[in-house]
Amino acid sequence: MKHALVVLALLAASPALAQRMRPADVDKLPSSTPTLTEAYGPAPAQIGDLRLPAGPGPHPVVIVIHGGCWWKGFATRQNTAALASRLTEKGFATWNIEYRQAGETGPDGKYTGDPGAGWPGTFKDWAAATDHLRDLAKRYPLDLTRVAVTGHSAGAHAALWVASRAKLPKDSEIASPDPLKIGAVVAIDGPGDPGAEIETFEKGCGVPAGTAMFGGTPAEQPQRWAEGSPQKQLPFGFKSGLVSASLFLSPTATAKWVTEARLGKDRSSALILGGTGHFEVIAPGSPVWSQVEAFLVEQLKVDK
């Protein structure tokens, strides 16, 4: 296939199947009770759920980041609770995080997002939640030499950004002085280079998500969009996996990521799923879940 893309699965496309699940359907899926729900910052949205697998540990850890167009009211960490629960069953400790989400100012002058969301606040939330694992590891059996991250939709971009942030310029507004080391990342149907995909992304979201998140368009804020683009930080020095259901991560964009990652000597693989919806890929029990789960479990393993 073009771009030397490794395709682990390719299902025949069927429009009748697309988008049969909605966010609320995924929210209602069974999930396990977290071992701990804890704040990683002072804002109400700066919170996460830690789930521990059976056994004494120390356990490999997966940070899980929900989507929702970075937009307040679209999704919460409940949307990835079933995903986190299933990964915990597979032997990973999971840290399913919430974060501040943007919005817009209406005609009445009221802002609909979380205070401080967007640039740089939301990025700093993802960073702070990740680095909070150091504190959690003092109290729970977590193996910080085996930390991976995954996310869905806009959370896929967040996961890739968390994986890439060690490559940021030290003077960046969203850089961290000592970022926790990440060893693997999987993006589930979300953009690695949001600036290149912003028209498709905002059309799918139905809101000006990019402008709200970055404080302007790519033309207006080129440095912000560059620093917020994980793809522009390649190579990472560890493996990346991508799951495409074609809504917010097209096969073409997937191929471009894998090609660029491999040119930088990173290992990168993809799971291309046609004929499925954007939410089936994070829904245990869906027709495609067994393939997604197998891909996640393999790709999220961190090499020692």
Side-chain angles (χ1 to χ4, degrees):
M1 188 175 179
K2 289 183 180 180
H3 309 286
L5 174 63
V6 171
V7 178
L8 300 183
L10 180 61
L11 305 183
S14 171
L17 290 178
Q19 290 294 324
R20 68 171 178 269
M21 293 190 75
R22 308 300 300 173
D25 299 322
V26 181
D27 287 351
K28 294 173 184 176
L29 292 173
S31 59
S32 60
T33 301
T35 304
L36 172 76
T37 296
E38 180 166 290
Y40 62 83
Q46 293 170 326
I47 196 167
D49 294 329
L50 178 69
R51 290 176 170 87
L52 296 178
H59 306 291
V61 187
V62 177
I63 302 157
V64 181
I65 309 179
H66 71 80
C69 298
W70 314 305
W71 196 266
K72 181 74 171 180
F74 278 20
T76 69
R77 70 188 187 282
Q78 183 60 36
N79 204 234
T80 43
L83 168 64
S85 298
R86 187 59 68 94
L87 289 174
T88 302
E89 291 176 8
K90 293 297 179 178
F92 299 96
T94 59
W95 176 229
N96 185 26
I97 67 167
E98 197 57 74
Y99 54 90
R100 288 174 291 177
Q101 298 178 79
E104 59 187 341
T105 302
D108 57 0
K110 292 183 178 180
Y111 175 62
T112 60
D114 290 313
W119 184 279
T122 300
F123 290 89
K124 290 188 173 182
D125 285 359
W126 298 332
T130 299
D131 293 338
H132 189 69
L133 285 173
R134 290 189 174 115
D135 186 69
L136 292 172
K138 297 174 183 177
R139 293 171 280 140
Y140 295 91
L142 307 179
D143 185 351
L144 296 189
T145 69
R146 293 185 290 165
V147 179
V149 57
T150 190
H152 173 246
S153 194
H157 161 258
L160 293 169
W161 181 83
V162 165
S164 75
R165 67 188 175 116
K167 304 291 293 291
L168 289 169
K170 299 302 181 184
D171 61 352
S172 169
E173 283 187 89
I174 56 174
S176 301
D178 183 25
L180 184 69
K181 184 178 179 181
I182 301 298
V185 59
V186 176
I188 308 173
D189 210 34
D193 186 6
E197 303 291 325
I198 192 59
E199 289 186 13
T200 300
F201 191 79
E202 289 191 340
K203 182 178 179 181
C205 291
V207 293
T211 303
M213 180 66 163
F214 289 87
T217 66
E220 293 166 340
Q221 295 287 357
Q223 182 174 347
R224 290 183 179 184
W225 283 86
E227 293 178 2
S229 169
Q231 192 151 350
K232 295 188 185 305
Q233 311 305 325
L234 287 171
F236 293 168
F238 50 83
K239 65 182 176 180
S240 59
L242 290 83
V243 178
S244 168
S246 300
L247 182 58
F248 291 133
L249 181 61
S250 69
T252 300
T254 303
K256 186 173 185 292
W257 175 283
V258 172
T259 299
E260 292 182 5
R262 289 181 175 182
L263 285 173
K265 307 303 182 183
D266 281 356
R267 286 182 295 153
S268 188
S269 302
L271 174 64
I272 308 293
L273 298 167
T276 191
H278 185 55
F279 294 97
E280 277 79 359
V281 291
I282 58 166
S286 77
V288 297
W289 174 251
S290 62
Q291 296 168 81
V292 175
E293 180 178 85
F295 184 79
L296 286 170
V297 169
E298 179 60 30
Q299 295 300 315
L300 291 171
K301 292 177 182 176
V302 175
D303 298 328
K304 296 287 283 186

